[in-house]
Amino acid sequence: MKFDTLKLPAPFSGLLGEPFQPFYMMIYGRRFQGKSTVALCLANALAKVGKKVLFVSNEEGLQGSLQEKIKRLKVDQHIDFVQDFHEGQLKQYDVVFMDSVQTIGLKVEQFQAFKQRYPNCSIVMIFKQNRDGSSKGGSDWEHDVDAIMKVEDRSATMEKNRFPKAKPKTYKIF
């Protein structure tokens, strides 16, 4: 069997390695630690390598704060942004970011069905964090993804990673 992988620019080349296509990933952390910002940087990196990317900004919405973040991060690749998610978007894009799973109302059973129905679409889901430091997604979600990234103080650490060539360390993203 042969699987295609993505070669991403730094710092994601070290952090993620070479993700298989498609891939499924969780990003989580406490509020105001940079989850959406890291997700935007990753979306830009994926668009840079030719992926058609959709960013569902349900939690923050399509407001001035999102525009400011895009400018501050120097997002220079084409990414489509919407506030509301619907399943049909998964067939139109190579990668869909969902920010956040809790505000969208996505259930693990729906995600499992999406993986079957849209086998060419990678999904990156942003989760909030529980008070005990765990993801609000919990173990049901954690078993169904290839990678789990924790964001803390503008840095990212992979807690789970099934991709080749990853270097296990914490990366300052912005």
Side-chain angles (χ1 to χ4, degrees):
M1 296 175 73
K2 180 170 175 0
F3 296 92
D4 292 330
T5 59
L6 290 167
K7 294 190 184 338
L8 296 171
F12 294 105
S13 56
L15 184 64
L16 292 176
E18 295 181 6
F20 296 109
Q21 296 184 73
F23 67 92
Y24 309 101
M25 183 174 161
M26 291 175 64
I27 298 173
Y28 81 98
R30 292 187 334 259
R31 61 187 185 150
F32 312 123
Q33 294 295 301
K35 300 179 299 290
S36 299
T37 299
V38 169
L40 273 172
C41 292
L42 178 57
N44 195 56
L46 287 161
K48 192 172 281 190
V49 297
K51 296 299 169 190
K52 186 174 180 187
V53 178
L54 174 68
F55 198 100
V56 181
S57 182
N58 188 270
E59 186 170 314
E60 185 171 2
L62 303 178
Q63 302 177 33
S65 60
L66 178 62
Q67 182 178 355
E68 181 278 325
K69 193 179 297 180
I70 291 166
K71 287 180 181 179
R72 177 173 44 86
L73 296 171
K74 297 179 176 65
V75 172
D76 60 357
Q77 301 298 308
H78 178 81
I79 300 168
D80 289 335
F81 290 90
V82 296
Q83 184 166 338
D84 297 315
F85 171 76
H86 62 82
E87 181 179 342
Q89 294 161 329
L90 295 170
K91 66 182 171 194
Q92 301 171 36
Y93 292 90
D94 299 317
V95 186
V96 174
F97 285 76
M98 298 181 185
D99 189 5
S100 77
V101 168
Q102 286 81 21
T103 59
I104 290 171
L106 187 67
K107 305 290 183 229
V108 71
E109 298 80 16
Q110 292 172 292
F111 169 64
Q112 292 165 340
F114 292 164
K115 287 170 60 174
Q116 297 298 314
R117 285 197 291 267
Y118 307 99
N120 297 318
C121 184
S122 296
I123 302 171
V124 179
M125 300 169 290
I126 292 93
F127 286 82
K128 298 175 183 179
Q129 180 175 303
N130 292 315
R131 291 179 191 212
D132 68 0
S134 64
S135 161
K136 284 202 184 230
S139 62
D140 288 342
W141 291 92
E142 293 168 359
H143 293 295
D144 283 334
V145 296
D146 303 307
I148 301 171
M149 177 190 295
K150 183 172 184 176
V151 176
E152 192 169 41
D153 191 29
R154 301 178 176 188
S155 297
T157 305
M158 297 306 294
E159 293 187 342
K160 174 183 177 179
N161 192 341
R162 294 180 177 156
F163 309 136
K165 301 186 181 180
K167 299 176 184 98
K169 65 178 191 174
T170 299
Y171 287 81
K172 192 78 163 168
I173 302 293
F174 65 99

